[in-house]
Amino acid sequence: MSWIENRFEEGMIITSLDWAINWGRTCSIWPMTFGLACCAIEMMAIGASRFDVDRFGAGAFRASPRQADLMIVAGTVTYKMASRVKRLYNQMPEPKYVMAMGACTIGGGPYFKNGYHVVKGVDLVVPVDIYVPGCPPRPEALIEGLMRLQDKIKHQSLARDRWLAVKDAAFSPATTATN
C-alpha cells in the first residue's frame, strides 16, 4: 500500500500541463493546403478514402495559413515561390510546424543541378521540423512523417519554447558578428 492511495477523489487524473497541451496539439494538427509540384498529388491522396488521415487527427486541411499549424511543402521550390512560402509561413499562428515532402523540396532534386532557379532545400527559406524523403513519397511515407511530427510535439515543453531558442540563436552575438 503506497502513501498516495486514498488521498484523492475517485476518477481524478493527475498530469502535467505540458502533457495535456501536447495531447491536444497532437490530436488536432491542421495542415495547410499547399502544393508546388508532383508531390502535392501524393499529399492529396492522403485526404482520399484509401488513406484515413482523420485517424491521426490531421484530416482537416485548411485553405488559409491563419487557420493552419502545419505547412507541408510538397514539390520543387523555386526562387520565385520562396518569398511566397516565407510569407505563408509568417502568416501561420504559433506553434507552427513545417514538413518538407519529397527530394525536390529537401535538396532541390534533379532540377537543382541544371537549373539556376531552384532553391537547394526549403530549409533555406523556412525552418523544417520533419523531412519526408522520396520522389515522390508515397502517402504512407507522409503518414509516417505525420506520426514523427506527433512524437516531436509530445516531447515539447511550454517552459522550453522552441521559438525563443531560435530567436536567441539568430540574435546571439556570434551570429550577428558574422552577418
Side-chain angles (χ1 to χ4, degrees):
M1 187 172 268
S2 68
W3 66 272
I4 201 166
E5 200 168 303
N6 297 327
R7 288 187 176 230
F8 299 104
E9 296 176 26
E10 192 168 314
M12 183 175 180
I13 298 173
I14 299 174
T15 186
S16 67
L17 185 61
D18 279 338
W19 186 91
I21 289 176
N22 289 340
W23 176 79
R25 286 179 178 168
T26 57
C27 296
S28 63
I29 297 173
W30 289 11
M32 181 172 57
T33 304
F34 182 69
L36 295 170
C38 49
C39 289
I41 302 296
E42 301 293 331
M43 183 180 69
M44 286 184 260
I46 69 164
S49 59
R50 183 172 181 175
F51 303 99
D52 188 14
V53 76
D54 285 333
R55 290 182 297 147
F56 302 99
F61 277 80
R62 308 304 297 187
S64 170
R66 292 179 181 89
Q67 300 169 346
D69 57 359
L70 172 63
M71 173 190 272
I72 302 173
V73 182
T76 308
V77 181
T78 60
Y79 284 107
K80 186 175 183 180
M81 285 301 294
S83 61
R84 277 78 171 183
V85 171
K86 182 73 173 179
R87 181 182 303 160
L88 289 172
Y89 176 78
N90 289 336
Q91 290 177 351
M92 293 170 61
E94 294 286 343
K96 53 190 168 186
Y97 309 98
V98 175
M99 185 181 297
M101 178 180 177
C104 297
T105 307
I106 294 171
Y111 308 109
F112 175 72
K113 193 169 186 176
N114 299 319
Y116 62 91
H117 62 292
V118 176
V119 176
K120 188 182 180 184
V122 74
D123 54 352
L124 299 173
V125 180
V126 292
V128 175
D129 295 297
I130 299 291
Y131 294 93
V132 179
C135 183
R138 296 270 310 140
E140 294 92 349
L142 185 57
I143 290 173
E144 175 73 20
L146 194 63
M147 290 191 297
R148 297 292 71 85
L149 179 64
Q150 288 176 329
D151 290 341
K152 191 171 187 172
I153 293 171
K154 284 179 187 172
H155 294 99
Q156 287 184 339
S157 175
L158 294 175
R160 292 176 286 139
D161 191 340
R162 70 181 185 137
W163 300 111
L164 289 177
V166 169
K167 190 166 61 176
D168 289 344
F171 295 111
S172 68
T175 305
T176 55
T178 57
N179 290 337

